[in-house]
Amino acid sequence: MSPRLLLAGACCVLLLLLVWSPLHLTSWLDGAERVSSAGLPGWSAAHEEAAALMSCFNAPTPGPSNATTRSDTFKGFLAGRPANLVLDHVHWSDAPAPLNLTVCTMATPGRMRSVEHLCASWKGVLAVAVYMPLEAKQDSFGAYVMTAESRAKLQRASARVAEVFSRTDKKRALIGKGCSLRTLFTYELMGFPGKATGGTPNHLMYSMLPINSLRNTALLAATTPLVLMADADLMLASSLSEQLAKPSIFSEVAAIAAARNAIIVPTFETPEELRQDKAMLVAIEALHGDASALKAAVDDNQLQPFAAKTFYDGHKCTNFKQWYQATAPYKIRYTPACEPWMIADRSHLPQWDVRYRGYGWNKVSHVAHVNETFAGMKVFPGLFMVHLPHRPSSALHTYWKAKDISLAGGAEGAEAFNKVTALYNEEQALLAKGTFVPVTDARTQRCRQELSWWSGGGDGGSGQQQRQAPGRRALLL
C-alpha cells in the first residue's frame, strides 16, 4: 500500500475519533474496558464518574455458595438475601445541570417511556436504576450463566434504554429542556423457573422487583447534596425547577434539609373514573398550575391527593388542606404508615433495607426510619408532583393476589405477602426499641466508601449517625 493511502487512512481514523464523542464511549464501554480507558484524552469528569461507579459496583463480592439460599431464588428472598445485581452499563450525560438536586428513581426497560416523561419535567440530574431479571442455566461446573435467549433480551432492552438516553440528551443539547440523565442498567440472573422448597414457583421472582436495592443503586449516582427519590411514573411540577433555580429559595430548602429535616413533596393523581386520555391531559395541565389551581381541580373531581381512595394513610400526614393555602414551610406530624416522597440531604438519608422485594411496605418502612432519625418533616409551599396514569404493574397484581390468598388461608404464593409484612412488623418493633439498622449490601457499601462524591464527608449517606444507635451504620449481608 502506498504511503499516500496509508496517510489517508490514518486521517480517516483520526477524524472518526474526534467526532465520536466521549458520550458514546460512556454508553459503549463496560467493566475493565471502561476503567482502563478512563485516561483517554478528552475523557470528561462525567466519564470518570461513570467508570468509578462501574468499577466499585462490579468488583468481586463474596456471596453464599449454597444454591438453596441464592438471592435470585424465592427461598433466598425468604432468607433475606439482597438482590445479586450486575451493573451492565452506564449512560452518564455530561450536559450541565443548573439545579443542585438529583432526582433518583428506578424502572424496568418497559417503563422507559415514563422515565422520559419524568426527565422532560425536570431541569436537573435524573439518576435511574434500570432493572431486568434474566433467565440463567447451570453450566457443567454448576455456575449460573446467561442463556442465549436472555442475552438477546438484554441487548434489545439495552438498545431501548440507549435510545431514550440519546433522545433526551439531544433534546437537552438542542433546546435546553429536560434533565441531565444518568442510567444505570442492572440485571439479575435468575435460576431456571421451577419449584422451590415448599412448592412456591421461582418465577414469582421475575415480577418481584428488588425495589430497595435499586433505590440504593440509583442514589449512588447522586453527586449533589440534595436528593429526591421519586417513582418513574411521576412528573415534577414546573414550579420545582423554577423555584429551586432561585438562589434564595434553594438556600432555604438546603438549610432545612441540612438541619436534618425531610422536605415532603405533595403528590396528586387523577381519579380512576377518568378515561386514560382525559386523565393524561389533566395530569399534564396540573404540572403548570399552582396550589389554588390544584385545589380547584380537586374540588372538581379532576385530581385527588395521591392514593386518597386506595391508601389514605399513606399521604394524610402531608396535610393537603394546609398546603393549599401555605405561604411558608410548615411542620407536619408523622402518622403510622405515612409514605410521602421527600427531598433530603443525602448525607443524612438512611439507606433502604434491601430485604424488601416486590410490592408492599418498602417505602412505608423507610419513612418510619426517617421519622426516627431526622429532626422532623416539613412541607414547602408550591412544590409538588403529579402521577401519570397507567395500568397496574405485575408486581402490584402479584402482591394483591398473594394478600388475598394469605387472608383466605395461606395457600401457595402467600409467602411473598407474609414475608414483607413480617419484615415491616419486625422493623417497627426494633424502631420502638431504638435498635433498628437497615440491611444493606456489599456493593452499595463499597461504592459509598470508594466513590469520591460519597466518601468525602458526612456519614457517607448511611444515615446511621442517629440518636438511638450511635456508630451503627448498616447491617451488611
Side-chain angles (χ1 to χ4, degrees):
M1 183 178 294
S2 69
R4 181 172 297 179
L5 287 176
L6 287 173
L7 179 61
C11 289
C12 289
V13 171
L14 179 60
L15 181 61
L16 284 172
L17 288 175
L18 289 174
V19 300
W20 193 19
S21 72
L23 181 62
H24 292 88
L25 289 175
T26 305
S27 304
W28 175 68
L29 294 171
D30 61 10
E33 292 175 304
R34 183 190 300 275
V35 175
S36 64
S37 303
L40 287 175
W43 192 272
S44 70
H47 302 97
E48 295 284 0
E49 291 164 341
L53 182 52
M54 285 285 298
S55 177
C56 70
F57 197 93
N58 287 334
T61 301
S65 58
N66 187 344
T68 63
T69 57
R70 286 175 54 92
S71 62
D72 51 20
T73 64
F74 194 80
K75 189 173 182 180
F77 160 69
L78 295 179
R81 296 290 181 186
N84 189 23
L85 300 180
V86 177
L87 184 53
D88 186 69
H89 61 272
V90 173
H91 297 277
W92 191 295
S93 174
D94 53 9
L99 302 177
N100 219 4
L101 182 151
T102 300
V103 176
C104 301
T105 192
M106 53 279 151
T108 60
R111 291 289 192 192
M112 288 308 294
R113 184 60 176 164
S114 295
V115 168
E116 196 166 1
H117 287 312
L118 176 57
C119 181
S121 70
W122 178 237
K123 294 182 180 179
V125 173
L126 173 61
V128 186
V130 183
Y131 170 78
M132 189 174 189
L134 293 170
E135 186 177 305
K137 63 180 180 180
Q138 283 186 297
D139 62 15
S140 56
F141 299 100
Y144 281 86
V145 296
M146 193 182 303
T147 65
E149 182 181 0
S150 291
R151 190 169 299 280
K153 289 180 179 178
L154 178 63
Q155 292 174 348
R156 291 193 296 270
S158 297
R160 183 184 304 169
V161 173
E163 181 183 355
V164 170
F165 176 82
S166 177
R167 190 161 53 238
T168 58
D169 217 52
K170 287 178 181 177
K171 183 178 179 181
R172 175 96 179 182
L174 291 174
I175 61 177
K177 291 186 177 181
C179 73
S180 179
L181 186 59
R182 299 170 184 175
T183 61
L184 288 64
F185 194 107
T186 68
Y187 67 83
E188 185 178 21
L189 292 181
M190 297 290 187
F192 192 82
K195 297 286 185 178
T197 302
T200 300
N202 274 336
H203 62 70
L204 268 178
M205 294 290 284
Y206 285 77
S207 64
M208 293 174 61
L209 203 73
I211 188 74
N212 281 355
S213 293
L214 295 174
R215 285 172 170 144
N216 289 336
T217 299
L219 196 59
L220 291 175
T223 53
T224 57
L226 297 185
V227 294
L228 165 60
M229 183 65 69
D231 285 2
D233 53 8
L234 298 175
M235 290 186 72
L236 280 63
S238 57
S239 61
L240 264 166
S241 291
E242 293 167 359
Q243 294 298 313
L244 294 179
K246 300 176 181 178
S248 59
I249 298 295
F250 182 84
S251 296
E252 185 177 4
V253 170
I256 292 173
R260 216 177 183 90
N261 290 290
I263 300 170
I264 305 306
V265 182
T267 306
F268 296 83
E269 66 179 0
T270 54
E272 290 185 1
E273 302 81 55
L274 287 185
R275 294 195 324 269
Q276 184 86 2
D277 55 347
K278 171 67 174 177
M280 184 67 74
L281 291 174
V282 169
I284 293 175
E285 182 180 355
L287 294 169
H288 306 288
D290 55 15
S292 60
L294 290 170
K295 175 64 165 57
V298 170
D299 291 341
D300 195 33
N301 294 320
Q302 300 295 296
L303 284 176
Q304 63 189 24
F306 189 82
K309 296 180 180 178
T310 56
F311 190 43
Y312 176 73
D313 287 345
H315 293 265
K316 72 175 183 180
C317 63
T318 301
N319 193 346
F320 286 89
K321 289 183 178 180
Q322 185 171 354
W323 183 80
Y324 293 135
Q325 53 190 354
T327 57
Y330 62 90
K331 192 169 184 177
I332 63 170
R333 183 175 62 87
Y334 172 81
T335 54
C338 185
E339 58 166 2
W341 288 277
M342 61 183 67
I343 295 171
D345 187 315
R346 68 178 169 93
S347 68
H348 300 324
L349 192 66
Q351 292 189 58
W352 280 259
D353 193 309
V354 298
R355 292 174 295 176
Y356 286 91
R357 290 190 74 126
Y359 191 87
W361 299 116
N362 49 77
K363 188 152 69 77
V364 172
S365 65
H366 185 259
V367 175
H369 189 197
V370 168
N371 177 60
E372 291 297 319
T373 58
F374 274 39
M377 297 183 185
K378 293 187 175 183
V379 186
F380 207 90
L383 307 183
F384 65 95
M385 299 187 292
V386 179
H387 175 263
L388 284 184
H390 62 82
R391 288 177 294 182
S393 66
S394 59
L396 180 57
H397 282 303
T398 299
Y399 174 81
W400 284 116
K401 182 178 180 181
K403 181 178 180 180
D404 291 341
I405 292 173
S406 176
L407 295 176
E412 179 184 295
E415 293 98 329
F417 170 77
N418 293 336
K419 174 62 178 178
V420 296
T421 302
L423 280 177
Y424 176 69
N425 291 335
E426 173 192 333
E427 176 180 323
Q428 296 311 295
L430 292 175
L431 282 173
K433 297 177 181 178
T435 59
F436 173 71
V437 178
V439 173
T440 184
D441 61 82
R443 293 176 181 82
T444 301
Q445 291 297 83
R446 179 172 57 241
C447 286
R448 285 176 178 241
Q449 294 168 2
E450 295 181 5
L451 296 174
S452 61
W453 60 92
W454 272 103
S455 60
D459 58 4
S462 66
Q464 295 305 309
Q465 288 184 348
Q466 51 182 294
R467 57 182 179 272
Q468 63 266 62
R472 298 181 66 185
R473 294 196 170 188
L475 180 60
L476 184 64
L477 282 184

